[in-house]
């Protein structure tokens, strides 16, 4: 049974930083794409970033480029999201997801989700 457990959320001032962690268990971690999504109050769930199983390829949404970094430690079965220069509009519940890459469409399908961690950025 796959489990994804996020941690690291909290309250931070605008311009500050947070590092989210997502510890995975239940299947071979390095075989799967890992990603982060977020959902702001009253808004739809949105993609933030993903990383390949080896860690060699990352993809970011435009709003995350240059401020957020996704990386993984396969030995610890953990994926991270380092968030710098945080803005109030980054306030959301952040979810990690694990999935499978489809090379035919250069995209991925999410299989499992964590429970989410709240990030609040005060202005």
């Amino acid at each position: 049974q796959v489990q994804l457990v996020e941690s690291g959320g909290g309250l931070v001032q605008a311009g500050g930083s947070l590092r989210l962690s997502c510890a995975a268990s239940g299947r071979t971690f390095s075989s799967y794409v890992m990603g982060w999504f977020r959902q702001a109050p009253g808004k739809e769930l949105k993609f933030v970033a993903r990383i390949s199983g080896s860690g060699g390829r990352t993809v970011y949404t435009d709003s995350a480029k240059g401020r957020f970094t996704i990386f993984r430690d396969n030995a610890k079965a953990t994926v991270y999201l380092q968030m710098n220069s945080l803005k109030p509009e980054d306030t959301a519940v952040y979810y990690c997801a694990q999935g499978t890459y489809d090379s035919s469409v250069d995209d991925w399908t999410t299989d499992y989700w964590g429970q989410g961690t709240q990030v609040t950025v005060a202005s």
Side-chain angles (χ1 to χ4, degrees), residues 49-99:
R50 63 176 165 96
I51 185 167
S52 63
S54 68
R57 185 184 179 197
T58 56
V59 177
Y60 296 90
T61 191
D62 286 346
S63 62
K65 289 177 183 177
R67 299 189 302 126
F68 294 3
T69 302
I70 187 171
F71 60 102
R72 64 192 295 160
D73 184 338
N74 286 346
K76 296 182 178 179
T78 300
V79 64
Y80 304 91
L81 185 68
Q82 176 68 41
M83 304 186 294
N84 299 328
S85 303
L86 283 162
K87 306 174 181 180
E89 51 264 43
D90 294 317
T91 295
V93 178
Y94 283 71
Y95 298 90
C96 78
Q98 186 179 77

Side-chain angles (χ1 to χ4, degrees), residues 12-74:
V12 64
Q13 293 294 316
S17 298
L18 279 176
R19 178 178 292 184
L20 306 183
S21 300
C22 173
S25 62
R27 59 183 184 177
T28 305
F29 183 72
S30 59
S31 296
Y32 298 94
V33 178
M34 297 297 297
W36 288 94
F37 291 77
R38 67 186 182 186
Q39 187 168 26
K43 301 287 184 64
E44 62 183 11
L45 187 69
K46 292 187 176 181
F47 168 77
V48 176
R50 63 176 165 96
I51 185 167
S52 63
S54 68
R57 185 184 179 197
T58 56
V59 177
Y60 296 90
T61 191
D62 286 346
S63 62
K65 289 177 183 177
R67 299 189 302 126
F68 294 3
T69 302
I70 187 171
F71 60 102
R72 64 192 295 160
D73 184 338
N74 286 346

